[in-house]
Amino acid sequence: MIKAAAEYPEQSHAVHRASAAFYRRLQHHMTDLSARAGAQSPERLAGQLCALFQGAIVSAQLQRHSGAGVDARLAAEILIKNSIE
């Protein structure tokens, strides 16, 4: 979806709108999960986790076998732990 939004940057284009809708749903889902986990600021944690998720996707696309997914997971664990304590 990141690539699709970049290839169709016009916000009124159907592909761009679908990509944006996907990431709004992801943000909403992550906010809900963060709240259920007891995060002090569910919206902030969700934003941080979504940024990690999106960054890991881009990194993996640019450099195969970069370990971006593992790095993002480790960073997410730290963010979650700090957000819930």
Side-chain angles (χ1 to χ4, degrees), residues 28-57:
H28 178 76
H29 181 66
M30 295 296 259
T31 299
D32 182 54
L33 290 175
S34 296
R36 287 198 268 157
Q40 296 170 4
S41 178
E43 295 83 9
R44 173 155 294 168
L45 178 59
Q48 293 168 339
L49 294 175
C50 285
L52 279 173
F53 175 76
Q54 293 168 8
I57 289 171

Side-chain angles (χ1 to χ4, degrees), residues 30-84:
M30 295 296 259
T31 299
D32 182 54
L33 290 175
S34 296
R36 287 198 268 157
Q40 296 170 4
S41 178
E43 295 83 9
R44 173 155 294 168
L45 178 59
Q48 293 168 339
L49 294 175
C50 285
L52 279 173
F53 175 76
Q54 293 168 8
I57 289 171
V58 172
S59 293
Q61 295 255 328
L62 295 174
Q63 299 176 351
R64 299 285 182 205
H65 311 294
S66 67
V70 173
D71 292 341
R73 185 179 134 248
L74 294 172
E77 289 175 1
I78 293 168
L79 289 169
I80 292 166
K81 181 179 179 223
N82 289 339
S83 178
I84 294 173

